[in-house]
Amino acid sequence: MGVLYSEETVMHHFFTETEFFTKSEAVITGPDVNHIRNVLRMKPGERILLSDGKGTNCLCELMEVGAERVTARILPEAVTDTELPVEVTLYQGLPKGDKMDYIVQKCVELGVSRIVPTEMERCVARLDAKRAEARRKRWQAVAESAAKQSKRMRMPMLTGPVQFADAVRAAGEYDLALIPYEASESLSGAGGMKRTRELIGGLKPGSRAAVLIGPEGGFSDSEIETALAGGLFPVTLGKRILRTETAGLFVLAAMGLLLEE
């Protein structure tokens, strides 16, 4: 459950499928019905924010609160766009323990569009196919909760793990692909934080950006070579060494600061 704060009310935010929207009404099914009916004890006439996770977002007034479905009338008031002006995919080196839960939650709050767990040479965590799908489902649930809480208009997606080389190939097709690296100043094209600001600040609305973040042990030399050959830009994130669970947050926060109106 997410919450939309205003001066007049506290509004709850829910997601439903695209096919459950018409021009005038929307329907909610699944677990949110129980939450609306039995936990929040909402009644007809109360208002909610409703999204399909793909860009359709409406202010709605509840009409019927049943045991298996909730029907709402779509109101004419416009809903403020809460998305970053650029689409960001985070290729995150698989971290140890439950750090990925934290990374997913906070990156979704900051506006990430897609998170791709990535297997790298220095990753301690390794997932077989069965565990990978279970974790993906868990992380998608974390993303959904964070999207509701932060009033996201689109539902960020979690994929299954990919190999580093595949991540580099995919990232190379974006308008901008960054690889934060603590020794970036030793590489050609370095320019410190000024260069980082220029690259991020130069993104245009509607652009697609990719960010590769290393695991606890960082990137290997061969991975950096692969990334550079693939057209990725090595950048610094400042004078301090950031943890794997902090680096992606730094980049997304910088994008919000430099690109949002």
Side-chain angles (χ1 to χ4, degrees):
M1 177 194 66
V3 188
L4 174 62
Y5 291 96
S6 72
E7 294 181 358
E8 299 178 353
T9 187
V10 175
M11 192 168 299
H12 302 289
H13 186 190
F14 300 94
F15 285 84
T16 192
E17 299 298 328
T18 304
E19 57 266 30
F20 293 158
F21 278 90
T22 69
K23 291 183 178 180
S24 59
E25 294 183 3
V27 175
I28 301 173
T29 61
D32 280 340
V33 173
N34 177 68
H35 196 79
I36 292 170
R37 177 184 172 93
N38 300 317
V39 179
L40 297 176
R41 298 184 181 277
M42 300 186 76
K43 305 295 183 183
E46 294 189 64
R47 292 184 172 191
I48 61 171
L49 180 66
L50 190 60
S51 304
D52 72 347
K54 300 176 183 177
T56 298
N57 305 277
C58 305
L59 181 65
C60 296
E61 181 179 276
L62 298 182
M63 297 170 60
E64 297 181 10
V65 181
E68 297 184 356
R69 56 189 277 155
V70 172
T71 305
R73 178 170 65 91
I74 296 174
L75 301 175
E77 289 91 333
V79 177
T80 302
D81 188 349
T82 59
E83 294 297 307
L84 283 176
V86 296
E87 178 184 320
V88 185
T89 296
L90 176 72
Y91 292 91
Q92 173 66 50
L94 278 169
K96 296 184 293 185
D98 59 359
K99 291 180 182 179
M100 194 68 173
D101 287 15
Y102 177 86
I103 292 169
V104 169
Q105 182 188 66
K106 300 309 175 187
C107 286
V108 167
E109 289 178 19
L110 289 169
V112 75
S113 300
R114 187 165 168 257
I115 300 177
V116 183
T118 305
E119 296 184 355
M120 303 180 187
E121 289 183 28
R122 294 176 178 170
C123 286
V124 175
R126 303 288 175 180
L127 300 176
D128 57 29
K130 183 177 181 180
R131 290 179 62 214
E133 178 58 16
R135 290 292 182 89
R136 187 200 66 78
K137 290 180 178 179
R138 172 186 173 86
W139 295 330
Q140 187 65 58
V142 172
E144 180 173 343
S145 177
K148 291 177 179 179
Q149 183 276 324
S150 56
K151 308 200 314 283
R152 291 289 302 273
M153 303 178 80
R154 295 181 180 273
M155 181 61 68
M157 298 304 297
L158 271 291
T159 75
V162 302
Q163 297 297 316
F164 180 79
D166 295 326
V168 169
R169 279 192 291 271
E173 298 179 0
Y174 283 64
D175 299 304
L176 176 66
L178 304 177
I179 183 165
Y181 179 51
E182 63 271 18
S184 64
E185 292 303 288
S186 65
L187 304 174
S188 62
M193 286 295 284
K194 179 180 178 182
R195 178 62 169 159
T196 304
R197 284 192 293 270
E198 288 174 347
L199 288 170
I200 294 176
L203 284 166
K204 304 299 183 185
S207 297
R208 297 169 66 241
V211 183
L212 272 70
I213 301 295
E216 287 88 351
F219 298 107
S220 68
D221 292 342
S222 64
E223 286 173 335
I224 292 298
E225 292 174 4
T226 298
L228 296 181
L232 276 68
F233 291 92
V235 294
T236 180
L237 300 183
K239 299 177 181 179
R240 294 155 297 284
I241 303 299
L242 303 183
R243 294 177 181 270
T244 186
E245 62 267 37
T246 309
L249 306 185
F250 183 105
V251 177
L252 285 161
M255 288 181 172
L257 180 63
L258 293 174
L259 302 176
E260 289 192 306
E261 295 293 335

